[in-house]
Amino acid sequence: MSLFHFFINAIPRSPKRKGLLMRLYYVWQEGFTQVGHAAAALMLFSMFAGAVPGFWAAWVFCGLDFMYFLALVPCLFMTARKSKFKAGDISVRNVYEGETTTVDLHVFAEDKLNAVSLGCFRMDPSLKCEESALVMVDAGETAKLTCKIQTKKRGAFEIPKVALIIPEINGALRYAANAGKAELLVFPRPLRVGAFPFLTSGASGAVFAPLLMPSLTRGMDFVGVREYREGDSLRDLHHKAFARYGKPFTKEFETERGAGAILVLDVTARSLREKSSVEMLIRLAAGVGLWLLERKALGRFFIGDDEIALVEGDGGVSFLEALARIPATSWLETRTSRNATSAQKLWSPAARPLGPVLRMGLFATDDPLVHKQVILDAHSKLTDESKNAISDDVLSVNAAHLEKAFQERSFENSHEAEVSL
């Protein structure tokens, strides 16, 4: 890509209060086709070329190009007046960071639409929209239009303008009719937890162990068969499934384990280095939370002191949605005093927890309500050791090691990176 195309396609960050330059950029992005971009760029180039003494031909070309655009304005006006339609509900598919999502819209044509496509505008710079192909919709018919959005990072993003794009007959300008706005949730890519022996190790692990052994707290109602997991009782093996598929299966009963474990995520960062590891901490928390949900051992979930309502049986969607809505770390925040940053803010929920508490953060705290802590150490350099048990209650995970493993998985286009805690 040339330097010229880089500046033409560059997406500026939208300010809180849009000024004249930002509005001109919106007109450039939404009102011009690729042919219009080329014609406008040539007109600007001819204006600069006309500054050369004696090069009067550039001004002639600039004037002709300008008259061409003036002639297109009535055509665009007539296109907008004759294009009558009704837009339906906007559907956006939530995805993991780095994946491509789709935006769907049903449009009913009151008049014939010779050419129409779907696009999204005025979004966050990390999102890139690929407009749908132009289609024809006859009068009285309904068509489904789908455009794609490439994501790069986690977050809850607003799509301020989902628009039906109708080009004028000459193909240089287009009419972007606003069909509404939507929200896109981009989930963090979880660091898959393969094994979690630290959770049940030591004296503090005794309160977590019963939650991970269904045979000790099961009810009498049989609900199904699942694959064997470490810790399952051998007396619950399903021998017929074992003989048929050649691998162990376990009978699953309705559990009576009560509230379950409590996961607390603390994204507080005391320094710039810790701020750089917040996203990796969220990915690790996503993996731990899904690991607990898979074993039906997660009872409550907190982000700081705020409890997140989890929907039972949704496969962890409500859990991932809460992680996606965590605000991105701001690098422009002023640092507080040294005494304030060194102070440890203890977890203080509105109601005292009834189950064992697992806290995840960037530094350890001396909290009497917390049984175990997993901290992501942003200060340790990359070493062969990915984790270090500071005590029976605190496990330190090397942030640099996780970052390297995550980047390797991303390069291999693997959905999840696996860790052992």
Side-chain angles (χ1 to χ4, degrees):
M1 180 180 293
S2 65
L3 185 61
F4 171 77
H5 285 89
F6 173 80
F7 284 109
I8 290 297
N9 297 322
I11 303 177
R13 185 175 298 277
S14 178
K16 294 182 180 179
R17 298 184 62 182
K18 299 176 179 61
L20 177 61
L21 292 178
M22 201 67 203
R23 295 183 186 277
L24 288 176
Y25 171 74
Y26 290 156
V27 173
W28 172 266
Q29 184 188 32
E30 302 167 15
F32 288 78
T33 64
Q34 292 183 354
V35 175
H37 286 160
L42 287 175
M43 183 172 65
L44 293 175
F45 176 77
S46 62
M47 291 176 60
F48 285 103
V52 179
F55 195 19
W56 54 268
W59 286 107
V60 174
F61 178 83
C62 180
L64 293 175
D65 203 359
F66 180 72
M67 295 299 294
Y68 171 70
F69 275 107
L70 286 181
L72 294 180
V73 173
C75 296
L76 181 63
F77 177 75
M78 295 303 297
T79 301
R81 288 294 301 271
K82 290 184 177 181
S83 303
K84 296 182 180 180
F85 56 85
K86 290 182 180 178
D89 295 333
I90 302 172
S91 175
V92 183
R93 182 173 59 91
N94 299 328
V95 294
Y96 290 94
E97 56 183 328
E99 295 182 345
T100 301
T101 185
T102 55
V103 180
D104 298 328
L105 175 69
H106 287 86
V107 56
F108 173 76
E110 297 180 357
D111 293 335
K112 182 179 180 181
L113 301 176
N114 294 317
V116 62
S117 62
L118 183 66
C120 299
F121 303 101
R122 310 184 186 186
M123 301 182 297
D124 186 271
S126 65
L127 303 178
K128 184 179 180 181
C129 178
E130 179 184 343
E131 300 173 5
S132 64
L134 290 170
V135 297
M136 183 181 67
V137 185
D138 292 327
E141 293 186 355
T142 301
K144 179 183 177 182
L145 302 179
T146 302
C147 67
K148 299 179 180 180
I149 297 180
Q150 178 63 44
T151 66
K152 290 184 179 180
K153 62 180 182 180
R154 169 204 63 86
F157 301 101
E158 181 187 8
I159 306 177
K161 186 175 182 179
V162 179
L164 287 170
I165 305 171
I166 305 172
E168 51 85 24
I169 191 171
N170 292 290
L173 300 180
R174 60 185 187 177
Y175 170 53
N178 191 2
K181 60 177 63 177
E183 183 186 44
L184 168 62
L185 294 181
V186 181
F187 301 150
R189 288 179 57 187
L191 291 167
R192 184 175 179 272
V193 178
F196 204 171
F198 169 75
L199 191 63
T200 55
S201 64
S204 58
V207 293
F208 290 96
L211 304 177
L212 303 176
M213 292 188 294
S215 60
L216 298 180
T217 55
R218 71 179 187 184
M220 300 299 296
D221 296 331
F222 174 76
V223 295
V225 178
R226 58 169 172 79
E227 291 189 14
Y228 176 82
R229 291 197 294 257
E230 184 179 358
D232 292 340
S233 176
L234 295 179
R235 66 187 180 94
D236 290 333
L237 285 177
H238 196 281
H239 300 287
K240 292 183 178 179
F242 192 5
R244 180 175 181 179
Y245 296 101
K247 57 182 179 180
F249 285 82
T250 302
K251 301 175 185 177
E252 191 170 26
F253 297 86
E254 183 180 359
T255 58
E256 299 175 350
R257 59 171 62 97
I262 298 173
L263 179 62
V264 179
L265 175 60
D266 185 2
V267 294
T268 303
R270 303 168 298 180
S271 62
L272 291 177
R273 179 172 293 182
E274 289 184 349
K275 286 182 179 180
S276 65
S277 300
V278 169
E279 291 300 322
M280 190 57 61
L281 173 65
I282 294 175
R283 297 186 186 109
L284 181 60
V288 171
L290 294 177
W291 187 86
L292 292 171
L293 285 171
E294 182 183 354
R295 288 152 180 78
K296 299 180 180 180
L298 181 61
R300 300 167 68 184
F301 175 52
F302 287 81
I303 299 178
D305 295 336
D306 300 327
E307 183 170 6
I308 307 301
L310 299 178
V311 180
E312 185 177 357
D314 67 346
V317 174
S318 57
F319 172 73
L320 292 173
E321 286 180 352
L323 294 179
R325 294 185 184 277
I326 297 177
T329 303
S330 175
W331 297 89
L332 301 179
E333 293 179 355
T334 56
R335 295 186 60 185
T336 55
S337 63
R338 183 178 299 273
N339 293 333
T341 55
S342 60
Q344 295 181 352
K345 182 180 179 299
L346 300 182
W347 179 55
S348 55
R352 188 177 180 88
L354 298 178
V357 178
L358 171 64
R359 176 186 175 272
M360 301 188 67
L362 296 171
F363 52 89
T365 60
D366 188 11
D367 195 329
L369 297 178
V370 176
H371 296 82
K372 281 187 174 294
Q373 301 185 58
V374 176
I375 62 173
L376 191 63
D377 191 357
H379 300 85
S380 299
K381 297 182 179 180
L382 181 62
T383 60
D384 294 336
E385 295 295 332
S386 61
K387 58 183 181 178
N388 176 34
I390 300 176
S391 64
D392 289 341
D393 303 335
V394 180
L395 177 67
S396 175
V397 182
N398 192 321
H401 186 90
L402 287 188
E403 184 70 30
K404 180 181 178 182
F406 182 79
Q407 294 298 335
E408 290 176 351
R409 290 288 181 176
S410 300
F411 180 77
E412 298 172 0
N413 295 324
S414 178
H415 183 66
E416 296 177 348
E418 183 173 330
V419 295
S420 176
L421 301 176

